[in-house]
Amino acid sequence: MTTPLPIDFRDSSNIELANLGQNLALIVDPAGKLDQQLRKLDVAMRKSLTRLLESEAWLSARPGGVLTLGFPVGITATQLLVVSLPTRPSVDEARAAGAALAAHAGPGGLSIFAGHHTRVEEVAHALALRSYAFSDHKSKTPAPRGQVVFYLRHPEVVARAAAPLAALAEGVFFTRDLVNEPANILTTTEFAKRIADMADIGLKIEILDEDALRDLGMNLLLAVGQGSTSPTKVAIMHWEGATDTEQPPLALIGKGVIFDTGGISLKNPGGMERMTMDMGGAGLVCGVMRTLALRRARANVVGVVGLVENMPAGNAYRPGDVFASMKGDTVEIISTDAEGRLLLADVMWYAQKRFKPTHMIDFATLTGNIIAALGSEYAGLFSNDETLTAWMTAAGRAESEGIWPMPMSPAFDESLKSLVADVKNKGAVEGGAIIAARFLSRFVADGTAWAHVDIAGVTSLKGDTRLAPRGATGWGVGLINRLIHDHFETH
């Protein structure tokens, strides 16, 4: 597993800034007022720094912007980074600074003087997230990055605030690794093993094989995987951290299609290689569960993910086939490429019948339609509960992870009517993301507050974002961790 950068917090009271190593960064308020310790620098160094802080480049720098002095006099560092950041920054400003500093955290390490600045833990969190690199399958691995050390007042206070964010970073990295893995490595068996290994951090794990799924009547899920040699599985992760262990859990459901060819309804080959990310919903749930265990969250949460591969073969399921779901509703297959909703229907019903959650959220790279609507900036949020919608949109704003409430009118059900079964698995192209959500709503029990999150546009990107390199983003781990902290934990 890719591990976050080692980050330490130390007291700045008695340090010699001039001797802090090859790479030194100073976090300075945009007003340019120097911390008392910075005034102790060599005269020539102070003059250079003062000149920089009076320059047009500094005055026009955004919060989080970094200016560089190469081979500065009077100090051992080969470069001095000066970071513009208010003494009391917003979370967004602090994370912008951390993301900018990540580019300078090389093999030689990085020393950062933060002085009296607040929200240093958020700077560190963003630095860790942006430093992610997936290199497991490269013959020449990059040199390991050195330790990052923040020097500041009251480091023990910041270290306590940083601990749950470090757990979150590890959860995000776990999700990113899963999404970035090729399907010949991350088979359903390997995926289940990586989940099972999380028993070491305190999660209770169950893995259901095909015989168990057959006994449960999960015929929709099994149909999706019947053309693959990779066995279909369901993995269940329990975190029981609430004081009241009998308290009903929050249920998180993930689509884990390790590779999606489209099956008999074969996808266009252009871009099919990106379908290794079709298990992004399951990856997200795994990252959240890992985070909860590492930070010892005081909440009861169960994560249930369906692991399957959708392949064309002589025994693959076909358009026109009819299968009975675990719930009992029969489904006519219109497209074998609308497989994610079949998986989710059975897994959602199983989770509700067994765990009786008051709230359930499913995550899936479900439709290209949602990308057409929201691009790569927002995931689509469909829900039957206004309060849950409000909680999730607020958590998205707090974590800068875009999520947008979408309509879900029953008028779209007309498109799903079948001549030979209770429902079709695909309707019209127009409003396709809404129609998919309406299909899933059939498998939500009365009284369950439910949200469906279509993450097709935000799971893996072709370009860098502020907190992630191109590829898997880890979107949603922070949002759901925030949601659980704010509304499902006992404090």
Side-chain angles (χ1 to χ4, degrees):
M1 175 186 165
T2 308
T3 55
L5 272 175
I7 296 178
D8 197 11
F9 303 94
R10 300 178 188 172
D11 195 338
S12 63
S13 300
N14 299 310
I15 60 168
E16 291 290 336
L17 284 170
N19 302 315
L20 281 185
Q22 294 181 358
N23 299 305
L24 174 62
L26 308 178
I27 299 180
V28 179
D29 189 273
K33 184 179 180 181
L34 294 179
D35 185 278
Q36 188 172 357
Q37 278 184 273
L38 298 182
R39 297 173 194 164
K40 298 177 183 179
L41 289 168
D42 173 270
V43 173
M45 183 68 252
R46 286 204 316 273
K47 286 183 177 179
S48 296
L49 188 55
T50 300
R51 185 177 178 186
L52 181 146
L53 297 177
E54 292 174 347
S55 69
E56 181 60 32
W58 176 263
L59 295 175
S60 61
R62 289 185 170 188
V66 177
L67 275 65
T68 304
L69 285 174
F71 297 98
V73 296
I75 61 176
T76 59
T78 55
Q79 67 171 350
L80 179 66
L81 310 170
V82 187
V83 185
S84 176
L85 192 67
T87 304
R88 297 185 178 278
S90 67
V91 170
D92 198 59
E93 289 170 338
R95 291 186 178 181
L101 283 168
H104 304 279
L110 179 62
S111 299
I112 304 168
F113 177 80
H116 286 90
H117 275 74
T118 61
R119 291 205 163 104
V120 174
E121 68 278 3
E122 295 288 356
V123 178
H125 179 55
L127 196 160
L129 290 181
R130 191 58 184 85
S131 298
Y132 173 87
F134 186 72
S135 57
D136 285 10
H137 307 298
K138 294 189 175 182
S139 56
K140 186 177 181 180
T141 57
R145 301 192 185 198
Q147 185 176 35
V148 174
V149 180
F150 284 84
Y151 294 92
L152 68 162
R153 309 296 193 269
H154 310 297
E156 67 287 347
V157 175
V158 177
R160 282 197 298 272
L165 292 173
L168 174 57
E170 188 167 327
V172 171
F173 275 36
F174 191 64
T175 296
R176 289 177 180 174
D177 278 2
L178 290 170
V179 173
N180 280 329
E181 281 284 18
N184 65 316
I185 304 297
L186 193 71
T187 62
T188 57
T189 301
E190 173 63 17
F191 202 153
K193 179 186 178 299
R194 295 191 191 187
I195 292 172
D197 287 345
M198 288 200 287
D200 293 342
I201 59 171
L203 290 171
K204 178 184 173 184
I205 307 295
E206 298 175 71
I207 307 294
L208 306 182
D209 62 15
E210 289 187 347
D211 287 341
L213 302 178
R214 202 167 287 111
D215 289 343
L216 288 164
M218 298 178 79
N219 300 312
L220 298 181
L221 171 60
L222 288 166
V224 174
Q226 69 188 36
S228 173
T229 57
S230 198
T232 299
K233 299 176 183 290
V234 167
I236 305 157
M237 296 160 275
H238 305 258
W239 177 250
E240 297 174 348
T243 306
D244 179 7
T245 56
E246 299 301 315
Q247 177 182 320
L250 165 67
L252 305 178
I253 312 297
K255 172 189 171 184
V257 179
I258 60 161
F259 193 80
D260 181 23
T261 65
I264 298 298
S265 305
L266 194 68
K267 289 180 180 292
N268 188 311
M272 195 193 288
E273 72 280 358
R274 298 193 70 235
M275 285 299 99
T276 56
M277 51 75 78
D278 211 23
M279 38 58 64
L284 190 165
V285 172
C286 291
V288 171
M289 298 305 294
R290 188 174 190 88
T291 299
L292 299 179
L294 289 172
R295 71 174 182 83
R296 319 308 289 176
R298 294 186 291 272
N300 291 342
V301 183
V302 61
V304 189
V305 298
L307 307 178
V308 69
E309 185 175 38
N310 187 21
M311 297 287 282
N315 62 332
Y317 76 133
R318 299 156 293 209
D321 287 352
V322 174
F323 298 93
S325 66
M326 182 182 176
K327 177 188 175 187
D329 289 2
T330 56
V331 181
E332 179 189 6
I333 306 304
I334 299 301
S335 170
T336 63
D337 195 26
E339 85 296 333
R341 65 201 70 181
L342 301 175
L343 177 161
L344 291 172
D346 273 349
V347 175
M348 285 165 52
W349 194 255
Y350 170 78
Q352 290 169 98
K353 299 306 286 185
R354 179 175 172 187
F355 301 111
K356 305 294 191 296
T358 57
H359 296 75
M360 176 176 65
I361 309 171
D362 77 79
F363 306 90
T365 49
L366 207 63
T367 67
N369 197 270
I370 202 68
I371 303 175
L374 301 177
S376 60
E377 294 297 320
Y378 295 92
L381 171 62
F382 303 83
S383 180
N384 65 0
D385 186 88
E386 291 183 1
T387 299
L388 183 57
T389 297
W391 288 352
M392 292 183 70
T393 52
R397 285 193 299 271
E399 293 297 319
S400 297
E401 294 188 327
I403 189 166
W404 197 264
M406 299 289 289
M408 202 172 66
S409 168
F412 288 88
D413 292 349
E414 186 69 26
S415 185
L416 291 170
K417 288 184 176 179
S418 168
L419 179 65
V420 297
D422 295 326
V423 66
K424 298 189 296 188
N425 78 323
K426 187 175 182 180
V429 173
E430 298 83 359
I434 303 172
I435 292 168
R438 288 301 305 174
F439 176 88
L440 292 176
S441 71
R442 295 178 62 99
F443 301 91
V444 179
D446 291 342
T448 302
W450 162 72
H452 158 60
V453 188
D454 193 334
I455 59 174
V458 296
T459 294
S460 182
L461 303 181
K462 295 179 181 178
D464 295 355
T465 66
R466 188 178 73 174
L467 296 180
R470 68 187 179 96
T473 63
W475 183 99
V477 179
L479 187 159
I480 299 303
N481 179 63
R482 168 79 65 166
L483 173 77
I484 291 168
H485 174 274
D486 289 351
H487 301 289
F488 293 91
E489 271 190 81
T490 52
H491 296 287

